[in-house]
Amino acid sequence: MAAPLELLLQRHSVPSRQLGAPAPDEATLRELLTAAIRVPDHGKLVPFRLIRLDGEAKLRFGERLAELAIRKQPELSEAKREKERLRYTFAPLVIAVVARLDAASKVPEIEQRLCAGNVAYNLLLGAYTLGYGAQWLTGWGAYDPDVAAILGLAANEHVVAFVHLGTPQIEVPDRERPALDELLSTWSP
């Protein structure tokens, strides 16, 4: 039996360019998403929702973002234009995790955002557990009001993550991780 924390100690992101088919099948995806939304949620606000991007719709979404990027930044180099054109062509599935903030709630907005962020992280953990790869990306599109309009987001909503999901096409080496002793301190009065 694996050590209880082995999943957390081995989890790593797979670059979206290294994710290919297959994505989780429908039953597995539903199970993954059901697990991912089990997050701390102060006030039971459910301050998040998910938008599935796959197939032709995912490709069209990527094309629209690339067109928008080039229109907003006509000075983009050809290499950056190509990166924008290809951004949504690799992973077979992308889940946009959207924070839905309730400004009238007694729960601070930062806690609502963190709740949505936990959904994104659970997607990464769940994908890894199931043998898939995933990468949490934001990029300019997560913060752009025109992209929000393309996604049909309300005024109180914003993208927290575009989680790219698929099957790793290469073995991804782990990166150097921070040392716990450099991050942990003990408070005393």
Side-chain angles (χ1 to χ4, degrees):
M1 182 170 154
L5 294 177
E6 200 64 28
L7 166 70
L8 293 176
L9 292 170
Q10 291 184 1
R11 192 221 62 85
H12 60 274
S13 293
V14 177
S16 63
R17 289 178 171 263
Q18 303 303 328
L19 293 170
D25 62 36
E26 192 62 30
T28 304
L29 178 61
R30 290 192 64 78
E31 186 177 28
L32 172 59
L33 296 176
T34 298
I37 62 174
R38 291 183 59 101
V39 293
D41 179 4
H42 303 135
K44 300 177 189 170
L45 299 176
V46 190
F48 55 83
R49 70 182 178 102
L50 307 171
I51 300 173
R52 178 179 177 163
L53 302 165
D54 62 358
E56 190 60 36
K58 175 188 67 93
L59 296 175
R60 183 64 190 125
F61 176 74
E63 289 168 5
R64 290 183 68 184
L65 265 61
E67 292 165 3
L68 190 60
I70 293 166
R71 192 167 58 244
K72 287 179 178 253
Q73 298 179 316
E75 73 284 356
L76 276 179
S77 69
E78 188 52 43
K80 289 186 179 180
R81 286 173 185 241
E82 186 68 7
K83 181 179 179 182
E84 291 298 336
R85 283 187 205 101
L86 296 176
R87 186 181 302 271
Y88 289 90
T89 62
F90 300 104
L93 175 65
V94 177
I95 302 293
V97 180
V98 177
R100 296 187 312 183
L101 304 179
D102 180 352
S105 172
K106 66 180 181 178
V107 177
E109 286 188 7
I110 184 66
E111 291 186 27
Q112 296 177 54
R113 280 190 186 89
L114 290 170
C115 181
N118 282 324
V119 172
Y121 189 59
N122 275 355
L123 279 171
L124 297 180
L125 289 176
Y128 183 75
T129 300
L130 294 169
Y132 293 97
Q135 186 177 31
W136 172 339
L137 296 172
T138 50
W140 67 272
Y143 309 104
D144 189 278
D146 293 325
V147 175
I150 290 170
L151 288 170
L153 302 187
N156 68 322
E157 295 181 321
H158 67 272
V159 173
V160 170
F162 291 106
V163 179
H164 295 243
L165 294 159
T167 299
Q169 302 299 297
I170 63 166
E171 187 70 32
V172 178
D174 201 8
R175 65 176 173 81
E176 187 174 326
R177 303 294 175 161
L180 176 61
D181 291 338
E182 294 173 11
L183 303 171
L184 178 66
S185 62
T186 301
W187 183 86
S188 60

